[in-house]
Amino acid sequence: MLIVVALGGNALLRRGEPMTAENQRANIRRAAVVLGELVRAGHSLVITHGNGPQVGLLALQSAATPDADAFPLDVLDAESAGMIGYVIEQELGNVLPDRLFATLLTQVKVDPCDEAFSHPTKPIGPGYTEATARRLAGERGWRIAQDGANWRRVVPSPKPQTILEATVISFLVERGVIVTCAGGGGVPVIELEDGRRVGIEAVIDKDRASALLARELNADMFVMLTDVDGVYLGYGTSQAHLLERVHVRDVSGNDFPAGSMGPKVEAAIEFAKATGNPAAIGRLEDAAAIVRGGRGTRIDIGNQARAHDEGVTER
Ligand code: ADP
Ligand code: MG
């Protein structure tokens, strides 16, 4: 099967861990072992990943340079895809020395009129106390918002429309290359009236970009790997109940949090509806079992999905 695998933040950095090069590499090494199992099981992989903490760090570093303007977010998105993609390619290569790899910068077309540009929602960089966040917002022109117990910088997260490198990616996949791309949701670009493309300051949600990529590649499966074993109804309550195998209509009406599970469920629904193939959400360590169908939450559509449903707990 061709599987698009999206690595969540925790695959790169566990919650609360300082963002150091060593921590990042140690986590990516864990992810590489898991991804290696999928390749050994005979699957073709296209790997994507998030960049929230990394792009925020790069923005802070860039802002700290005394006599130059800070670099725009599209350039920092590209940098973050390089700093993460490099280590993924290297660690995967150490696990699978006989395979070919490519890490591609990926431009993703967005609509310049997307309402995200007037309503930034995507948290990037570290968490601050409210007072510090307000001071930084004043000094640097940031928009800020509460994220759990912390306050963070928020930036526009427009909807991805087209993956510009999709054809190149599929050429590589056809030749057996394991591709890492659309890192951090890809680099957002807009098309000007004369057809030229330019970057725009935003960070695309990696789950939405990955779902679009999986659609454009017509992947057999789309898997989002994170730090929770699947999608729960009543998450965080005593009634919490893990969804194991569900039809898209069973999750479509539910409200999952916008900053975390919401985009994953939406991305899964979009992919399943567009392709008729399953999407799944679960824990990084469970990847092989998720693909076989024994772990995580699988979101499916159509009769084929129904036929596999026996013995499965639903709501
Ligand atoms: P990633 O970096 O992998 O994208 P996110 O933080 O965006 O991770 O999303 C995973 C988190 O979503 C989990 O750690 C969990 O705390 C949170 N979450 C919110 N609602 C739910 C839910 N209904 N079911 C499972 N997890 C949920
Ligand atoms: Mg996320």
Side-chain angles (χ1 to χ4, degrees):
M1 289 204 291
L2 170 60
I3 310 174
V4 170
V5 181
L7 299 175
N10 82 297
L12 309 170
L13 196 72
R14 290 189 232 209
R15 262 165 239 283
E17 242 176 21
M19 225 221 77
T20 64
E22 297 91 293
N23 284 341
Q24 186 166 285
R25 181 174 290 274
N27 288 314
I28 291 176
R29 194 172 287 148
R30 283 191 308 136
V33 169
V34 167
L35 297 173
E37 280 176 49
L38 295 180
V39 174
R40 290 209 187 87
H43 302 298
S44 302
L45 296 190
V46 172
I47 299 154
T48 68
H49 59 83
N51 74 343
Q54 291 82 2
V55 77
L57 177 81
L58 292 173
L60 289 173
Q61 288 175 345
S62 174
T65 313
D67 16 83
D69 284 341
F71 269 73
L73 275 175
D74 58 315
V75 176
L76 300 178
D77 284 325
E79 272 191 54
S80 73
M83 81 189 271
I84 299 165
Y86 151 61
V87 184
I88 294 179
E89 177 163 335
Q90 196 169 63
E91 290 299 339
L92 267 176
N94 289 336
V95 174
L96 301 163
D98 301 329
R99 300 299 302 254
L100 296 174
F101 301 91
T103 304
L104 287 191
L105 288 177
T106 311
Q107 300 173 84
V108 179
K109 207 177 102 181
V110 302
D111 178 357
C113 300
D114 193 303
E115 64 164 25
F117 290 106
S118 43
H119 296 101
T121 53
K122 168 93 186 160
I124 64 166
Y128 302 101
T129 63
E130 183 176 353
T132 307
R134 289 201 185 282
R135 179 176 55 76
L136 289 168
E139 285 169 13
R140 299 181 183 187
W142 290 355
R143 302 281 288 267
I144 53 169
Q146 198 161 4
D147 182 34
N150 289 316
W151 285 71
R152 290 174 79 189
R153 180 183 179 190
V154 288
V155 301
S157 191
K159 186 174 182 296
Q161 291 185 320
T162 316
I163 309 279
L164 297 181
E165 282 80 2
T167 307
V168 179
I169 296 165
S170 61
F171 287 167
L172 289 166
V173 170
E174 279 165 24
R175 299 299 299 263
V177 177
I178 298 170
V179 182
T180 299
C181 60
V187 180
V189 301
I190 56 168
E191 246 162 34
L192 304 177
E193 271 169 20
D194 62 6
R196 278 184 313 127
R197 289 169 184 152
V198 290
I200 188 160
E201 291 227 62
V203 176
I204 299 173
D205 180 77
K206 70 111 181 16
D207 295 317
R208 291 169 105 184
S210 305
L212 177 63
L213 175 71
R215 279 174 64 171
E216 293 194 357
L217 298 177
N218 199 20
D220 300 295
M221 190 171 184
F222 170 39
V223 180
M224 287 164 271
L225 297 177
T226 182
D227 60 354
V228 61
D229 55 347
V231 184
Y232 283 81
L233 290 180
Y235 183 70
T237 70
S238 57
Q239 319 282 299
H241 167 71
L242 177 67
L243 297 170
E244 292 175 8
R245 194 156 202 160
V246 289
H247 194 280
V248 290
R249 65 172 165 263
D250 297 331
V251 277
S252 295
N254 283 292
D255 244 359
F256 297 99
S260 56
M261 198 43 79
K264 288 188 206 307
V265 172
E266 252 177 59
I269 292 172
E270 194 193 306
F271 171 78
K273 275 189 171 169
T275 62
N277 295 333
I281 299 167
R283 210 184 280 288
L284 173 70
E285 290 75 9
D286 293 339
I290 292 168
V291 168
R292 286 195 303 267
R295 286 278 170 86
T297 297
R298 182 174 291 226
I299 299 176
D300 241 322
I301 190 166
N303 299 329
Q304 240 184 330
R306 294 283 101 184
H308 291 286
D309 266 359
E310 311 95 52
V312 159
T313 357
E314 282 194 324
R315 287 188 284 157

